[in-house]
């Protein structure tokens, strides 16, 4: 499937932490693109030998705009994790972004992640570039509906998935997080700014302390926020998610089909099969959420 090419000019990948930016860059190359990598300072952690690349500060809109002009960038993909928001002294804007500065500062101080990302998209598009989603470049990363591996959820697991999906949706409406853990119909953890892996580590500790049932396993559910701009921060899972779910004693992981990413798909599914965990894509528009 060829990537969407709305807009003109060279493709740039704004790279935060993790493997996702690398997967997107490799997918872009396979489709004939020559992506330019914009490595976020103190965030990007991959080696980018063989790719044209430059470092830019998280809040440096002026520097970003200069790189867009210098390298004829017309399309931009946002990918990878960003652990912190820029401080006031790290924010540098040009005339095009100056009018949006008061709102941008307010959003950085008080907005949730989705609000911040929408502001980032607005600032980038204000520089004359078109922001597209990871799924437009690497659609094969999207989760499909139904079990992705050899193991399927049982009836108890399906009830936990339904309960977890309700919690994840409510959490998303508050622009707080994308994930929830349900054990025996009880919501035991909600994802905050710490991220999914840290939440699962917390569940493992609670399990060890006897504060969560040792008999019931439970599930992790990750959904898009209802108001989310699908061009940034789609829910994602990978091999580390499966490994942490196993440590937390869970039966499996459910993600939103067509709106969540599975990184290192083959390795992730292999790890789940070996651990005896299911990984499933759910469609909330279908009865029961799955095919």
């Amino acid at each position: 499937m060829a990537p969407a090419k709305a807009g003109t000019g060279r493709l740039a990948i704004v790279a935060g932490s993790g493997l996702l930016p690398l997967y997107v860059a490799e997918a872009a190359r396979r489709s004939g693109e020559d992506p330019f990598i914009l490595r976020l300072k103190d965030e990007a952690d991959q080696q980018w030998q063989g790719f044209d690349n430059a470092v830019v500060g998280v809040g440096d809109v002026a520097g970003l705009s200069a790189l867009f002009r210098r390298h004829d960038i017309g399309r931009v993909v946002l990918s990878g994790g960003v652990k912190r928001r820029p401080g006031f002294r790290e924010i540098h804007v040009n005339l095009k972004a100056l009018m949006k500065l008061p709102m941008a500062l307010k959003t950085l101080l008080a907005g949730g992640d989705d609000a911040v990302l929408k502001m980032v998209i607005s600032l980038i598009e204000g520089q004359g570039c078109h922001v597209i989603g990871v799924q437009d470049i690497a659609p094969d990363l999207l989760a499909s509906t139904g079990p992705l591996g050899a193991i399927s959820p049982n009836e108890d697991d399906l009830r936990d998935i339904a309960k977890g999906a309700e919690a994840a949706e409510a959490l998303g409406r508050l622009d707080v997080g994308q994930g929830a853990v349900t054990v025996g119909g009880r919501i035991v953890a909600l994802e905050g700014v710490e991220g999914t892996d840290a939440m699962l580590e917390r569940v493992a500790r609670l399990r060890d302390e006897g504060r969560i049932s040792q008999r019931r396993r439970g599930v992790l559910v990750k959904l898009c926020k209802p108001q989310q701009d699908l061009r940034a921060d789609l829910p994602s899972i990978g091999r580390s998610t499966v490994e942490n779910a196993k440590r937390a004693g869970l039966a499996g992981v459910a993600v939103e089909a067509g709106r969540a990413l599975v990184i290192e798909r083959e390795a992730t599914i292999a790890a789940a099969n070996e651990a005896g965990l299911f990984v499933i894509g759910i469609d909330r528009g279908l009865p029961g959420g799955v095919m």
Side-chain angles (χ1 to χ4, degrees):
M1 183 173 178
K5 291 193 175 183
T8 58
R10 192 176 184 182
L11 175 70
I13 298 172
V14 178
S17 62
L19 289 170
L20 180 58
L22 186 58
Y23 274 83
V24 176
E26 290 172 344
R29 271 199 170 164
R30 287 194 298 271
S31 67
E33 300 273 8
D34 179 24
F36 188 89
I37 312 302
L38 294 161
R39 295 180 287 132
L40 291 179
K41 184 179 179 181
D42 299 325
E43 298 287 354
D45 53 11
Q46 298 300 310
Q47 301 299 315
W48 289 103
Q49 291 92 341
F51 288 90
D52 292 343
N53 67 89
V55 176
V56 64
V58 174
D60 189 1
V61 178
L64 199 64
S65 181
L67 287 166
F68 290 162
R69 293 193 305 273
R70 188 177 310 145
H71 298 282
D72 192 30
I73 304 300
R75 293 164 296 134
V76 178
V77 176
L78 306 176
S79 66
V82 178
K83 295 184 178 66
R84 67 180 190 87
R85 300 183 182 189
F88 180 77
R89 293 183 179 179
E90 297 173 279
I91 298 174
H92 305 286
V93 299
N94 55 12
L95 287 175
K96 289 182 179 179
L98 189 60
M99 295 298 293
K100 295 182 179 180
L101 182 58
M103 181 58 70
L105 290 173
K106 181 180 179 181
T107 302
L108 283 171
L109 289 171
D113 287 347
D114 189 62
V116 170
L117 286 168
K118 285 178 178 177
M119 176 56 67
V120 169
I121 289 172
S122 174
L123 289 170
I124 289 174
E125 295 201 322
Q127 307 304 312
C129 291
H130 183 72
V131 177
I132 59 178
V134 165
Q135 65 275 20
D136 295 318
I137 301 298
D140 57 319
L141 292 178
L142 289 171
S144 53
T145 305
L148 305 185
I151 299 165
S152 298
N154 61 29
E155 290 186 5
D156 287 340
D157 298 328
L158 290 174
R159 283 192 288 269
D160 272 341
I161 289 171
K163 188 72 172 181
E166 290 179 12
E169 181 175 354
L171 187 69
R173 288 189 188 281
L174 296 173
D175 197 5
V176 175
Q178 299 171 320
V181 175
T182 314
V183 177
R186 174 190 176 198
I187 306 299
V188 299
L190 298 172
E191 182 187 27
V193 295
E194 81 276 28
T196 303
D197 287 344
M199 176 182 65
L200 291 174
E201 290 170 5
R202 173 159 46 94
V203 172
R205 289 196 302 273
L206 291 171
R207 184 94 70 176
D208 290 342
E209 294 167 2
R211 299 178 66 182
I212 295 176
S213 171
Q214 299 286 344
R215 183 172 59 87
R216 298 179 183 272
R217 297 184 69 187
V219 300
L220 163 67
V221 180
K222 294 194 72 171
L223 304 179
C224 269
K225 299 172 184 176
Q227 73 282 4
Q228 184 164 341
D229 190 317
L230 299 183
R231 292 174 292 176
D233 195 33
L234 290 185
S236 64
I237 62 168
R239 185 166 49 183
S240 68
T241 314
V242 169
E243 291 168 350
N244 282 313
K246 179 183 177 182
R247 292 190 196 102
L250 302 183
V253 178
V255 294
E256 190 168 4
R259 291 171 25 125
L261 306 174
V262 182
I263 314 300
E264 296 182 287
R265 181 183 291 260
E266 292 184 5
T268 298
I269 299 307
N273 290 341
E274 183 178 351
L277 272 65
F278 64 81
V279 176
I280 189 169
I282 61 174
D283 183 343
R284 302 207 67 206
L286 295 173
V290 297
M291 294 179 68

